[in-house]
Amino acid sequence: MSVKYAILTLLSEAPRHRYDLKVSFERMVYHQWELNAGQIYTTIDRLVRDGLVEEARDGSSELKVYKISDKGKEDLSAWLLQPVEKTLLKDEFFFKLLCAKKLRFDSLRDMIKSQQELIIQTIFQLQRLRRSIDPTGDNEYILYLIEGKILHLEADMKWLTMFSHSL
């Protein structure tokens, strides 16, 4: 997740001060990712330095308010159009399996069982989250994200089952 583009997105909606960026970000991601205030401060400073964000004139508040610049809008649009690369075989559990094989580790079944249990817990957690979200138009994308993650986890379960049968 890119803090830079999260900030640019939020500033595209409206000028905001730093704390408002934190609160708005956490609301945008349904409180599933916490954003450190220090990350916001350093990222805003860098965005201002790079000309992607500028201070907005707001006489009604003592807080610094920021807005996205034209250069920031162009950068955000370019980023949105870039496809996201998926790592091919960089999966931590797969790497653990490779290490276990190399060591002739005798608890592969336990590794797989623990991983399957974690996946089941995660699926249940995502299902609870899905039920807690109002299925209105504003929430459509997060619901698709949750469904996509559940599908990926179900595929992982199938792969682990196939792998365990080969042991």
Side-chain angles (χ1 to χ4, degrees):
M1 195 276 310
S2 171
V3 175
K4 170 186 174 178
Y5 292 109
I7 290 173
L8 289 176
T9 297
L10 292 168
L11 292 177
S12 290
E13 290 181 317
R16 300 173 193 268
H17 55 80
R18 295 175 194 222
Y19 184 73
D20 185 24
L21 286 166
K22 176 180 172 32
V23 171
S24 297
F25 170 79
E26 290 172 358
R27 193 176 321 120
M28 181 173 81
V29 296
Y30 297 85
H31 303 280
Q32 298 304 301
W33 296 315
E34 192 171 313
L35 194 55
N36 181 311
Q39 288 177 284
I40 294 172
Y41 282 59
T42 56
T43 304
I44 281 283
D45 290 343
R46 199 168 39 253
L47 292 171
V48 168
R49 180 198 68 207
D50 296 343
L52 302 174
V53 166
E54 49 199 39
E55 275 191 54
R57 304 285 182 239
D58 183 12
S60 65
S61 174
E62 292 183 23
L63 299 172
K64 284 186 180 178
V65 175
Y66 299 90
K67 66 179 183 176
I68 190 168
S69 67
D70 289 339
K71 183 179 176 185
K73 290 176 186 175
E74 291 172 15
D75 190 58
L76 178 59
S77 291
W79 174 75
L80 288 170
L81 292 172
Q82 289 174 349
V84 177
E85 288 188 37
K86 297 288 184 183
T87 56
L88 297 176
L89 295 177
K90 287 185 180 179
D91 177 89
E92 187 173 356
F93 186 75
F94 178 69
F95 182 67
K96 281 185 173 188
L97 287 175
L98 293 176
C99 291
K101 181 179 186 242
K102 193 160 198 62
L103 295 171
R104 293 177 180 24
F105 189 65
D106 60 357
S107 297
L108 278 174
R109 289 190 189 282
D110 293 336
M111 284 176 63
I112 292 170
K113 183 177 183 232
S114 294
Q115 189 66 25
Q116 288 173 316
E117 289 170 356
L118 178 64
I119 289 171
I120 290 168
Q121 289 173 358
T122 305
I123 289 172
F124 286 151
Q125 181 182 7
L126 287 167
Q127 289 171 337
R128 282 191 303 275
L129 176 61
R130 180 180 57 198
R131 284 191 302 272
S132 74
I133 295 174
D134 181 26
T136 62
D138 289 346
N139 297 328
E140 180 181 23
Y141 288 176
I142 191 71
L143 291 171
Y144 280 125
L145 176 65
I146 292 167
E147 286 302 319
K149 186 60 179 176
I150 290 171
L151 289 171
H152 282 272
L153 290 168
E154 289 171 347
D156 287 347
M157 282 295 288
K158 183 176 180 180
W159 178 78
L160 286 169
T161 301
M162 288 172 28
F163 185 77
S164 66
H165 290 310
S166 72
L167 297 177

